Amino acid sequence: MKTITYALALVGLWALYYVIPIEYRLLWQPDETRYAEISRGLLASGDWVVPHFLGIRYFEKPIAGYWINSLGQWIFGHSNFAVRAGVLFSSTLTACLVAWISWRIWRDKRTALLAAVIYLSCLLVYGVGTYAVLDPMLALWLTLGMCSFWYAAESESVTKKVIGYVILGVACGMGVMTKGFLALAVPVISVLPWVAEKKQWKSLLIFGPLAVLSAAAVTLPWALTIAEREPTFWHYFFWVEHIQRFAQEEAQHRAPFWYYLPVFLLGALPWLGFLPGALYRGWCDRKENSGLIYLLGWVIMPLLFFSLAKGKLLTYILPCYAPLAALLAHHALRAASEGAKALRANAVINMLFGFIGLLAVLLVLAPHSLAHYPLFTLQESGKVLVAATIFFAWLLVGFLSFTRPHKRWFYASLCPLALALLIGFAIPDRVVNAKQPQAVLKLVDAELQASRYVLSNSVGVASAIAWELQRDDIFLYSSRGELEWGLQFEDSAERFVSEEAFPAWLAAHRQQGNISLMLLLDSDDRTTIHALPTPDRVYQQGRFAVIEYYSR
């Protein structure tokens, strides 16, 4: 396969996977609606220092990720594409860095381009890289840091070493300002195996302070400014968001040590068949090419680090896939030239994945299936067909690869194509009506626009309302959620209304105009609605209910 073919495949894959479909997918709550609204609020307020969510102090993350998201909305306007533009930009640049470091290690254009293709088509990379969260941005800064360290390490010129370490510090500093101190820990532990293997401690000690100084130069202006304006920020961000989340027994998202193993394997689809050989070949050939031990350390050390943490989310291991893509590309090309069994093995794995997914849709998720409570309803036969098509296409591409593995092994990059283009049309109504509030908001937009006060019992739903209406004065009803810390401040306390206080609050405030509540109900029941004062109008769709009280 010629280099130009890889280049065209890379551009086409990027457009089909990362550009064309993302405008037409509804935003998910709570993550995407949260980051959409925080960044919209930043643009509206002009406060580029203190993060606010629904106009309330929000100290869970630093500021740089919101800067990137805000630029997306500033350039592309009020759209779903704009909300996801930041992760699209970050994933694209990370793929370019993956190609760069692959070229620097092997000096082979095909390996470099294929590494970028593999990175962008890995299931976990694609899933997170088109979803508006901060992890792809952190992955970008970590990948830039690792690439700059490698640039410095393989350079003999002192000037180039200085440049490499300075860029490393800048990348780490931006990582800290995007998601916190993990951006300092992950690069350090990732380079340790290579430094120990090559005995580069002296060079690290000589030039390392440059990275520290450049990281400080990047972070200190904002860090000192927010400390002056909001003295409680660093206490909350360090102790609650780092120590408690990752180490203490009450850490969020607790999971066992082995949690990331199945996630890591599934995330490597549709290239999973090459994974064992890529890791084994990297280990066996590490003496011949020191870049291999560098990539292996970059994969394994963060994976172990996050596995040891008490709190776990599948997005945390995204930075492991940049070096993994390089290893996979190198091994896949070697396997293709040698006619290795891995070519067929990868095709078989993709066929099995597509077949199992197809059976799951038809026998478990669809109406009249074996499940007592199927995910799809009788009215959603079209969505069932789309979901089945996604997995059938994956199966078909795997089969085509299997029939001529030596010629078609790279077809694996097309396995997720139907998923990328069609997934937005296959989401069951039951999921849409619980996790994607935009569908309901479009139906009740006029009513909410006419309301003087809008409340919600879910922070995720409240953020969706705020983003759609382009107003941040949404009140929280019954539950404070992740805004509990911010609501403790005196100037924000009034933004929460408890169930007990609501009748009196309603009587006092409906004189100023209409009042609307958009509630996220538990399991489609109406118990919460019945506990409220008698409304003037109720609209319910799935787990979303909009309750209106007219002005009196």
Side-chain angles (χ1 to χ4, degrees), residues 381-426:
S381 56
K383 291 191 173 186
V384 173
L385 179 60
V386 173
T389 300
I390 290 172
F391 288 104
F392 178 75
W394 198 302
L395 169 63
L396 179 61
V397 173
F399 175 75
L400 291 175
S401 300
F402 181 79
T403 55
R404 298 182 65 186
H406 300 85
K407 298 289 186 180
R408 298 174 176 170
W409 61 269
F410 57 88
Y411 281 19
S413 62
L414 299 177
C415 284
L417 180 59
L419 174 71
L421 297 175
L422 300 177
I423 187 62
F425 305 101

Side-chain angles (χ1 to χ4, degrees), residues 243-422:
I243 304 303
Q244 290 183 13
R245 172 167 289 193
F246 290 99
Q248 294 187 0
E249 291 300 321
E250 62 267 28
Q252 293 180 335
H253 314 297
R254 286 179 57 83
F257 174 82
W258 50 263
Y259 169 82
Y260 283 121
L261 180 58
V263 172
F264 181 72
L265 295 176
L266 288 174
L269 286 167
W271 308 97
L272 182 57
F274 296 111
L275 179 58
L279 297 178
Y280 179 74
R281 188 187 295 273
W283 178 254
C284 292
D285 296 346
R286 70 189 187 282
K287 300 294 185 182
E288 301 173 14
N289 188 338
S290 65
L292 293 173
I293 193 67
Y294 188 74
L295 294 174
L296 286 172
W298 186 359
V299 172
I300 296 171
M301 296 302 287
L303 191 62
L304 289 174
F305 175 78
F306 288 116
S307 295
L308 290 171
K310 299 289 185 181
K312 296 179 177 67
L313 282 176
L314 62 87
T315 56
Y316 293 168
I317 62 170
L318 179 62
C320 300
Y321 283 84
L324 182 65
L327 290 168
L328 287 169
H330 174 64
H331 176 64
L333 287 172
R334 288 280 296 273
S337 64
E338 297 169 359
K341 295 180 180 179
L343 303 177
R344 285 187 180 274
N346 194 59
V348 169
I349 289 173
N350 284 322
M351 289 169 62
L352 286 174
F353 180 76
F355 181 69
I356 293 171
L358 183 60
L359 286 182
V361 170
L362 298 178
L363 300 182
V364 179
L365 304 180
H368 306 301
S369 65
L370 300 177
H372 292 292
Y373 300 101
L375 195 57
F376 292 98
T377 64
L378 291 172
Q379 292 74 37
E380 296 180 276
S381 56
K383 291 191 173 186
V384 173
L385 179 60
V386 173
T389 300
I390 290 172
F391 288 104
F392 178 75
W394 198 302
L395 169 63
L396 179 61
V397 173
F399 175 75
L400 291 175
S401 300
F402 181 79
T403 55
R404 298 182 65 186
H406 300 85
K407 298 289 186 180
R408 298 174 176 170
W409 61 269
F410 57 88
Y411 281 19
S413 62
L414 299 177
C415 284
L417 180 59
L419 174 71
L421 297 175
L422 300 177

Side-chain angles (χ1 to χ4, degrees), residues 34-36 38-40 42 48-49 51 61-73 82-87 89-90 132-138 140-141 173-180 222 237:
R34 176 201 304 124
Y35 293 121
I38 294 174
S39 301
R40 186 205 65 79
L42 187 154
W48 295 77
V49 175
K61 300 293 185 294
I63 198 70
Y66 308 137
W67 288 347
I68 296 173
N69 281 335
S70 297
L71 289 174
Q73 294 190 35
V83 172
R84 295 165 174 143
V87 296
F89 171 80
S90 301
V133 289
L134 302 182
D135 299 272
M137 301 171 198
L138 178 62
L140 168 62
W141 299 124
M174 289 302 299
V176 169
M177 291 181 62
T178 298
K179 209 172 178 186
W222 173 76
F237 182 65

Side-chain angles (χ1 to χ4, degrees), residues 97-113:
L97 290 171
V98 169
W100 179 88
I101 197 166
S102 300
W103 161 252
R104 299 288 293 197
I105 290 175
W106 288 290
R107 303 291 174 173
D108 181 75
K109 292 180 180 179
R110 292 192 311 159
T111 303
L113 291 170

